[in-house]
């Protein structure tokens, strides 16, 4: 672990991943200077809250010119979620990063005309209105692609564009419930448990970015764009292992097991002598053997039941007791050092303060500090992977509502007097 006074240095070092001179403002409101694997692509983010905006954020992190479209009087509710400092929402500083912002009322004729023109310049449009909303406004895929046949329209909803639930409001919490996640999460004698953050939205955002890139690649072959229809519930379901196959073949439902695994043991969280916690996983047979030898129970390794994950699960109380007792007599640093020496799998259980001080995260530049126009330098998670030739970057933080409206409209060819008329009539 780095010393506390090194924590700020570890975060500051990550700023090397941000291009020199990057600030929270886009000079002149014009298109941001951009490198990255997706440089040259334009993405219109017409979505709100989390799954859609996160999708656009991922594409922007890799260099796409992302334009965030919000209602002029009812902007993205995500701007009001979570903590704030000096009246500035902290979550949106990350969620809105690498996005230029403009306001547009799509319920007006003028707003729809502007949106059609904007979509005509785009490679991707991301939206999460309820099914048929765009069509009701005359902004369905047929209309948007008429003058831009290469357009990819990513439609992210709770339950997809078809089926009996298609018009239900959809949020990540509902997906976490209906995917089976909550049913298998929590203590065996406790209630189904939901995550304390937008897990389903985050998983969906990666799936949606992947689907968009697949559609863009297909465009090279077909010459045409297409519609990406993505429900929030399906990516979550896809991440939850073989529960459907298990039900189909065995009519068995995975039970809640708390921090234990239904497939191997020992696997749990354990309290150390200094009150801190570690997590241990022994998914591989060799790791399980090393763990039990380390904690002074080598004799169980030769038991016939120890040779399979299922056998170890049947004796999880015995294995857990041995591991927990050994760990309880040592500090977290002592436990981690001993496990590392034994080449057994362990990890300290971190909160944000631990992450900011950890040397591995510092080496990876996982946390970067980016200049923000409102708050000065702020730290946030970096792009979650590294490309050797065309790396992504955080060029600027989330901007205020409509900060780039006039500049974007000018790029689309609207003269100053027409922009003023839009503002006077409430279009922007």
């Amino acid at each position: 672990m780095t010393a506390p006074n090194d924590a700020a240095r570890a975060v500051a070092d990550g700023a090397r991943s941000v291009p020199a001179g990057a600030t929270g403002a886009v000079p002149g409101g014009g298109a941001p200077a951009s490198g990255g694997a997706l440089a040259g692509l334009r993405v219109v983010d017409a979505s709100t809250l989390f799954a859609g905006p996160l999708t656009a954020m991922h594409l922007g992190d890799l260099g796409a010119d992302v334009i965030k479209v919000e209602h002029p009087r009812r902007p993205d509710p995500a701007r009001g979620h979570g903590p704030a400092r000096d009246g500035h929402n902290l979550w949106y500083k990350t969620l809105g990063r690498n996005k230029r912002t403009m306001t547009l009322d799509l319920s007006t004729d003028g707003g729809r005309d502007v949106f059609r023109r904007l979509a005509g310049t785009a490679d991707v449009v991301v939206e999460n209105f309820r099914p048929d909303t765009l069509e009701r406004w005359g902004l369905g895929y047929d209309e948007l692609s008429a003058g831009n046949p290469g357009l990819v329209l990513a439609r992210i909803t709770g339950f997809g564009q078809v089926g009996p639930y298609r018009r239900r409001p959809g949020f990540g919490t509902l997906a976490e419930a209906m995917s089976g996640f909550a049913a298998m999460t929590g203590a065996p004698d406790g209630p189904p448990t939901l995550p304390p953050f937008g897990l389903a939205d985050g998983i969906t955002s990666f799936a949606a970015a992947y689907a968009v890139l697949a559609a863009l690649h297909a465009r090279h072959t077909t010459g045409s764009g297409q519609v990406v229809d993505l429900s929030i519930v399906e990516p979550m379901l896809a991440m939850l292992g073989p529960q459907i196959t298990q039900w189909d073949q065995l009519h068995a439902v995975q039970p809640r097991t708390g921090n234990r695994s239904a497939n191997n043991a020992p696997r749990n969280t354990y309290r150390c002598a200094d009150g801190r916690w570690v997590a241990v996983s022994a998914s591989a047979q060799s790791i399980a053997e090393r763990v039990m030898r380390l904690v002074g129970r080598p004799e169980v390794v030769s038991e016939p039941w120890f040779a399979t994950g299922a056998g170890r699960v049947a004796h999880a109380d015995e294995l857990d007791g041995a591991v927990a007792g050994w760990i309880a007599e040592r500090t977290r640093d002592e436990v981690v050092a001993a496990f590392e020496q034994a080449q057994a799998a362990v990890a300290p259980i971190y909160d944000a303060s631990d992450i900011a001080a950890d040397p591995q995260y510092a080496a990876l530049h996982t946390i970067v500090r980016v200049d923000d126009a409102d708050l000065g330098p702020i730290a946030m998670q970096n792009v979650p992977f590294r490309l050797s030739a065309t790396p992504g970057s955080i060029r600027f933080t989330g901007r205020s509502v409509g900060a780039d409206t006039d500049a974007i409209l000018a790029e689309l060819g609207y003269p100053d007097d027409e922009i003023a008329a839009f503002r006077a009539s409430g279009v922007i």
Side-chain angles (χ1 to χ4, degrees):
M1 300 288 293
T2 56
N5 62 341
D6 289 334
R9 186 180 304 116
V11 172
D13 285 346
R16 288 195 294 267
S17 294
V18 179
T23 68
V26 183
S34 175
L38 300 184
L41 291 179
R42 170 168 284 184
V43 177
V44 176
D45 176 11
S47 61
T48 58
L49 291 172
F50 306 115
L54 280 168
T55 300
M57 184 198 80
H58 296 316
L59 301 175
D61 285 352
L62 294 182
D65 175 23
V66 179
I67 297 174
K68 171 78 172 179
V69 176
E70 298 174 86
H71 193 283
R73 292 163 294 283
R74 298 186 301 277
D76 190 339
R79 290 183 180 272
H81 277 248
R85 179 188 166 202
D86 298 335
H88 300 288
N89 180 267
L90 299 181
W91 198 343
Y92 197 80
K93 292 297 183 182
T94 296
L95 185 64
R97 72 193 195 193
N98 293 334
K99 299 179 185 181
R100 297 193 287 162
T101 66
M102 71 177 298
T103 56
L104 208 57
D105 185 348
L106 299 184
S107 68
T108 65
D109 290 339
R112 290 191 289 269
D113 288 341
V114 172
F115 192 81
R116 290 188 193 98
R117 189 182 296 192
L118 179 63
T121 71
D123 298 280
V124 180
V125 171
V126 179
E127 64 97 2
N128 66 343
F129 297 103
R130 290 197 198 185
D132 302 329
T133 299
L134 286 186
E135 285 75 11
R136 189 172 68 250
W137 287 336
L139 299 175
Y141 186 71
D142 289 345
E143 290 82 5
L144 295 181
S145 64
N148 183 9
L151 180 67
V152 172
L153 176 62
R155 316 194 74 169
I156 303 172
T157 56
F159 301 100
Q161 298 293 313
V162 300
Y165 302 158
R166 62 190 293 267
R167 296 193 61 79
R168 287 186 182 181
F171 296 100
T173 298
L174 309 187
E176 289 146 11
M178 292 184 66
S179 64
F181 173 85
M184 67 174 67
T185 304
D189 57 350
T193 302
L194 296 167
F197 65 100
L199 177 61
D201 289 288
I203 290 175
T204 297
S205 72
F206 282 113
Y210 161 47
V212 163
L213 294 179
L216 290 172
H217 179 74
R219 189 173 68 176
H220 291 298
T221 301
T222 66
S224 300
Q226 58 186 295
V227 175
V228 173
D229 175 13
L230 193 72
S231 71
I232 298 177
V233 70
E234 289 174 292
M236 190 74 188
L237 177 60
M239 294 295 103
L240 294 178
Q243 62 166 330
I244 300 302
T245 306
Q246 179 177 319
W247 169 253
D248 176 68
Q249 295 297 305
L250 303 174
H251 274 239
V253 173
Q254 182 171 326
R256 289 192 289 280
T257 58
N259 289 322
R260 289 181 175 178
S261 169
N263 303 305
N264 64 80
R267 192 263 199 180
N268 214 324
T269 61
Y270 305 92
R271 187 181 176 94
C272 304
D274 54 4
R276 295 188 287 183
W277 293 77
V278 296
V280 172
S281 176
S283 297
Q285 178 70 23
S286 60
I287 298 296
E289 293 175 4
R290 292 170 192 166
V291 169
M292 298 317 297
R293 291 189 178 108
L294 173 64
V295 302
R297 291 295 305 277
E299 74 280 1
V300 299
V301 173
S302 59
E303 294 286 349
W305 52 262
F306 195 86
T308 67
R312 296 196 301 275
V313 168
H315 292 78
D317 287 345
E318 178 182 358
L319 299 178
D320 257 353
V323 176
W326 187 90
I327 288 176
E329 297 175 350
R330 293 160 175 82
T331 67
R332 189 175 74 177
D333 288 349
E334 290 171 340
V335 170
V336 171
F339 267 73
E340 287 185 352
Q341 185 173 5
Q343 297 185 43
V346 70
I349 293 178
Y350 276 177
D351 61 21
S353 64
D354 297 309
I355 293 167
D358 186 89
Q360 180 62 30
Y361 284 126
L364 294 173
H365 294 174
T366 304
I367 309 299
V368 294
R369 191 173 291 278
V370 188
D371 285 343
D372 178 75
D374 301 311
L375 300 175
I378 61 175
M380 63 180 63
Q381 301 96 314
N382 204 348
V383 183
F385 53 85
R386 285 155 295 283
L387 298 178
S388 62
T390 54
S393 65
I394 303 171
R395 300 178 298 282
F396 53 94
T397 60
R399 290 166 61 70
S400 60
V401 178
D404 306 289
T405 300
D406 288 11
I408 294 168
L409 290 174
E411 290 174 15
L412 295 175
Y414 289 99
D416 290 344
D417 59 344
E418 194 166 358
I419 294 173
F422 281 150
R423 182 163 283 108
S425 63
V427 170
I428 59 175

